């Protein structure tokens, strides 16, 4: 009965490859997010979707493309992976509105070699 | 623009000591929300507390307490009688009513030694 799940937990791949990370939440939340945590532990929002509609799109390279097939899922596809993409990627979800806390998935550690 | 500063990069204490983690924020909004999250060595992010800008009442939950002072734009977190299991990275975060972003501070690595 995991609230926010991500797959895979670890992803090791070579430069230039395309990869996807999947996220699912069973909390009934309307809003989902993708964050990137770099090697210094700094957490930064990448994208946010509300009811399948993109509401935040930070200045990330357009090699990163989120897709929300329904409000319980938010996947992240990355094209032409680069060394600098190595990080931990967290999916999160919350009820709609700034008051509500976000619940995070376990993270996906992406290593690009 | 909103900003959160956690000036303490790393703190190391001995078990049973009290420790305070500082958080200072900047915002132009009059209504906003502050959060603390914990990231233990296992890596997951765990929600600890939420506070809205209208509620300056301090909160205590077991060994944890939070001191929100609007006058100094601070939302500090104190752990009383620290335990080894408290070792983690702690993040303070801010979300404005006018925006959708949750902005995190840089985090404070707390190490509690036995």
């Amino acid at each position: 009965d995991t609230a926010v799940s991500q797959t895979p937990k670890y992803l090791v791949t070579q430069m230039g490859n395309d990869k996807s990370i999947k996220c699912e939440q069973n909390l009934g939340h309307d809003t989902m997010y993708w964050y990137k945590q770099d090697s210094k532990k700094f957490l930064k929002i990448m994208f946010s979707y509300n009811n399948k509609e993109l509401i935040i799109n930070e200045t990330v390279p357009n090699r990163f493309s989120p897709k929300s097939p329904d409000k319980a899922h938010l996947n992240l596809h990355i094209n032409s992976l680069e060394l600098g993409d190595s990080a931990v990627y967290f999916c999160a979800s919350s009820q709609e509105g700034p008051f509500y806390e976000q619940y995070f998935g376990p993270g996906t550690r992406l290593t690009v070699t | 623009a909103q900003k959160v500063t956690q000036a303490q990069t790393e703190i190391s204490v001995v078990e049973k000591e009290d420790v305070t983690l500082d958080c200072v924020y900047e915002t132009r909004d009059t209504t906003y929300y502050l959060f603390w999250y914990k990231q233990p060595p296992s890596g997951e992010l765990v929600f600890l507390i939420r506070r809205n800008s209208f509620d300056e009442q301090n909160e205590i939950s077991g060994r944890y307490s939070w001191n929100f002072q609007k006058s100094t734009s601070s939302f500090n977190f104190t752990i009383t009688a620290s335990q080894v299991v408290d070792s983690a990275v702690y993040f303070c975060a801010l979300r404005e009513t006018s925006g959708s972003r949750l902005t995190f501070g840089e985090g404070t690595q707390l190490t509690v030694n036995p």
Side-chain angles (χ1 to χ4, degrees):
Chain A
D1 55 343
T2 304
V4 182
S5 58
Q6 291 179 233
T7 53
K9 189 164 174 61
Y10 300 96
L11 187 51
V12 181
T13 188
Q14 292 183 329
M15 284 175 56
N17 284 348
D18 303 338
K19 289 293 178 186
S20 292
I21 306 172
K22 295 187 176 181
C23 177
E24 176 181 2
Q25 55 96 3
N26 62 7
L27 297 166
H29 290 162
D30 291 323
T31 310
M32 295 185 72
Y33 313 82
W34 277 110
Y35 287 86
K36 179 180 180 180
Q37 186 174 45
D38 63 23
S39 58
K40 295 184 177 179
K41 298 282 190 180
F42 187 63
L43 273 160
K44 194 168 189 302
I45 183 80
M46 299 174 68
F47 302 103
S48 174
Y49 269 74
N50 187 51
N51 273 321
K52 302 195 299 174
E53 182 181 340
L54 181 66
I55 56 171
I56 294 177
N57 184 353
E58 286 294 295
T59 50
V60 301
N62 57 16
R63 299 181 294 103
F64 290 78
S65 54
K67 282 191 172 51
S68 182
D70 56 62
K71 75 173 195 177
H73 295 84
L74 180 61
N75 303 324
L76 183 65
H77 188 75
I78 315 170
N79 290 328
S80 304
L81 278 155
E82 300 177 357
L83 292 176
D85 298 332
S86 296
V88 180
Y89 293 84
F90 285 97
C91 177
S93 74
S94 72
Q95 294 183 57
E96 186 178 355
F99 176 75
Y100 296 102
E101 65 273 21
Q102 296 179 15
Y103 292 87
F104 286 79
T108 295
R109 181 174 293 277
L110 171 65
T111 304
V112 183
T113 61
Chain B
Q2 59 191 54
K3 184 180 178 183
V4 177
T5 301
Q6 294 179 256
Q8 304 150 309
T9 306
E10 295 182 18
I11 300 176
S12 183
V13 299
V14 177
E15 212 170 12
K16 297 185 184 176
E17 283 186 31
D18 298 348
V19 58
T20 295
L21 310 182
D22 297 333
C23 172
V24 174
Y25 60 91
E26 295 175 30
T27 177
R28 293 178 185 171
D29 276 20
T30 55
T31 302
Y32 48 89
Y33 304 90
L34 296 161
F35 303 83
W36 276 95
Y37 283 84
K38 174 182 179 180
Q39 187 174 36
S42 51
E44 72 272 23
L45 281 154
V46 179
F47 165 72
L48 294 177
I49 192 171
R50 169 189 59 232
R51 172 67 70 233
N52 73 54
S53 54
F54 292 106
D55 182 4
E56 290 198 65
Q57 195 170 10
N58 291 332
E59 179 148 347
I60 299 174
S61 176
R63 296 184 296 107
Y64 294 172
S65 62
W66 290 269
N67 184 335
F68 175 37
Q69 294 204 337
K70 211 167 177 178
S71 59
T72 56
S73 297
S74 65
F75 186 40
N76 297 336
F77 174 28
T78 298
I79 302 175
T80 303
S82 60
Q83 299 176 1
V84 173
V85 293
D86 295 327
S87 296
V89 180
Y90 290 87
F91 292 95
C92 181
L94 165 70
R95 191 167 184 182
E96 296 171 334
T97 303
S98 59
S100 307
R101 288 165 184 74
L102 182 64
T103 298
F104 284 86
E106 305 91 334
T108 298
Q109 170 71 61
L110 173 65
T111 302
V112 181
N113 298 298

